[in-house]
């Protein structure tokens, strides 16, 4: 008899279904729509962020460390640690470079450590390269030693390259 009791009733009666179809459906629609944004939020962290870019007019003094990617076009005086490091043709790095993948188009003065190291035809490297795999294109300029290691990113392995070249010298 009272309409208030029918509104508060969680299970609508047959009589009220025809009168109030929007009321039960509105909460039902908002409930599934809430998990959908959560699903998108759950997949959002899996998306790889874009590489950080240091432009050609930028001069950085100090060390840099990231789990992401870096694209250097400017000058860096310090050590760099990244997942993928791309040294542009206009870039100059004075320090140690450590990354899973290193692509060198510019100049590095210092040690390079990487699982995969690639020197393009415009690369200039003055220092040692410690790698798991390496590719050197024709025209690349390289002064230093090359040492293959199964785990070149391991800092404890720094002593191994200095011991191996000495007996060969």
């Amino acid at each position: 008899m009272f309409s208030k009791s029918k509104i508060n009733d969680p299970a609508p009666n047959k009589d009220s279904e025809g009168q109030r179809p929007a009321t039960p459906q509105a909460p039902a629609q908002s409930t599934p729509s809430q998990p959908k944004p959560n699903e998108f939020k759950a997949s959002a962290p899996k998306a790889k962020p874009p590489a950080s870019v240091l432009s050609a007019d930028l001069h950085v003094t100090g060390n840099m460390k990231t789990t992401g990617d870096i694209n250097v076009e400017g000058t860096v005086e310090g050590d760099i640690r990244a997942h993928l490091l791309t040294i542009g043709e206009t870039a100059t790095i004075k320090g140690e470079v450590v990354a899973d993948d290193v692509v060198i188009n510019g100049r590095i003065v210092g040690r390079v450590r990487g699982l995969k190291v690639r020197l393009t035809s415009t690369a200039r490297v003055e220092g040692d390269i410690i790698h798991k795999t390496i590719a050197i294109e024709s025209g690349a300029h390289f002064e230093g030693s090359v040492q293959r290691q199964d785990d070149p990113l391991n800092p404890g392995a720094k002593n191994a390259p200095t011991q191996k070249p000495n007996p060969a010298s």
Side-chain angles (χ1 to χ4, degrees):
M1 181 166 213
F2 295 100
S3 61
K4 288 185 178 182
S5 64
K6 291 180 181 178
I7 293 173
N8 294 333
D9 187 10
N13 295 335
K14 292 179 182 178
D15 296 336
S16 63
E17 283 182 10
Q19 297 173 356
R20 302 177 195 270
T23 306
Q25 290 177 357
Q29 289 176 351
S30 64
T31 305
S33 65
Q34 290 173 353
K36 287 181 182 178
N38 290 341
E39 290 173 11
F40 291 118
K41 289 180 183 177
S43 63
K46 294 179 184 177
K48 188 176 178 183
S52 299
V53 179
L54 303 177
S55 64
D57 62 342
L58 188 62
H59 181 96
V60 177
T61 302
N63 299 335
M64 291 186 285
K65 183 177 181 181
T66 182
T67 56
D69 302 345
I70 300 178
N71 185 355
V72 180
E73 296 292 338
T75 303
V76 176
E77 294 182 23
D79 299 341
I80 302 176
R81 185 175 192 96
H83 170 67
L84 167 63
L85 179 63
T86 305
I87 310 298
E89 288 186 30
T90 61
T92 300
I93 309 295
K94 295 181 181 178
E96 184 176 33
V97 167
V98 180
D100 293 338
D101 295 326
V102 184
V103 179
I104 305 169
N105 299 305
R107 183 173 183 228
I108 295 182
V109 179
R111 181 181 295 181
V112 177
R113 292 175 145 316
L115 295 175
K116 294 190 323 187
V117 179
R118 179 176 164 215
L119 279 68
T120 65
S121 60
T122 58
R124 291 185 52 88
V125 177
E126 300 171 28
D128 298 339
I129 298 176
I130 301 166
H131 64 90
K132 187 169 184 180
T133 60
I134 190 167
I136 303 175
E137 292 181 4
S138 177
H141 177 82
F142 171 63
E143 294 180 29
S145 66
V146 178
Q147 181 70 44
R148 189 202 176 280
Q149 290 183 357
D150 288 332
D151 189 14
L153 304 180
N154 184 3
K158 288 183 180 180
N159 295 337
T162 57
Q163 292 174 356
K164 290 181 182 178
N166 288 340
S169 299

